[in-house]
Amino acid sequence: MRALRGINLAIAFFLELAVLIAVCYWGFQLDGGVRFVAGFGAPILFALLWGRFAAPKAPRPLHGAANVAFQFTWFACGAVALVLADQPVLGAVLGVVYVVNSVSLLVVRR
């Protein structure tokens, strides 16, 4: 079980990175000068939010339902960003892998 938990935690970490990449990709798919603001700004904003509220050593960690809602919204934004950037299959894969990983982490913790 310990190895399975480690694998799931590694997958969770890569999913977090995938969301940052997804919002960056979405930002650079926009037209005009806003593409640079969104392409650089969105992943920075997302990283700051994750570090503030969801990281293991976050200064103001969320707990319970607030944490679940934050993480669900955060990963959903990554999936939606891919869909908006004309990558619906990748968006669906991100969403499905997130759900499977989250359920697996809950099972392993018990």
Side-chain angles (χ1 to χ4, degrees):
M1 276 307 221
R2 189 173 176 187
L4 186 58
R5 184 171 189 272
I7 291 168
N8 278 312
L9 288 173
I11 291 170
F13 174 72
F14 287 115
L15 284 169
E16 294 164 16
L17 294 178
V19 169
L20 296 176
I21 293 167
V23 296
C24 181
Y25 180 77
W26 163 80
F28 281 111
Q29 297 304 308
L30 298 176
D31 293 328
V34 72
R35 80 177 348 161
F36 293 104
V37 173
F40 289 116
I44 290 170
L45 175 63
F46 269 64
L48 289 172
L49 289 171
W50 187 266
R52 180 89 174 173
F53 299 114
K57 294 186 179 184
R60 305 190 101 194
L62 298 174
H63 301 286
N67 184 45
V68 171
F70 176 83
Q71 289 193 23
F72 178 81
T73 302
W74 201 79
F75 284 100
C77 285
V80 169
L82 287 169
V83 171
L84 292 175
D86 294 327
Q87 299 295 329
V89 173
L90 291 177
V93 168
L94 177 63
V96 168
V97 173
Y98 164 69
V99 169
V100 170
N101 180 253
S102 295
V103 170
S104 182
L105 280 170
L106 286 174
V107 170
V108 170
R109 285 184 189 162
R110 292 182 182 198

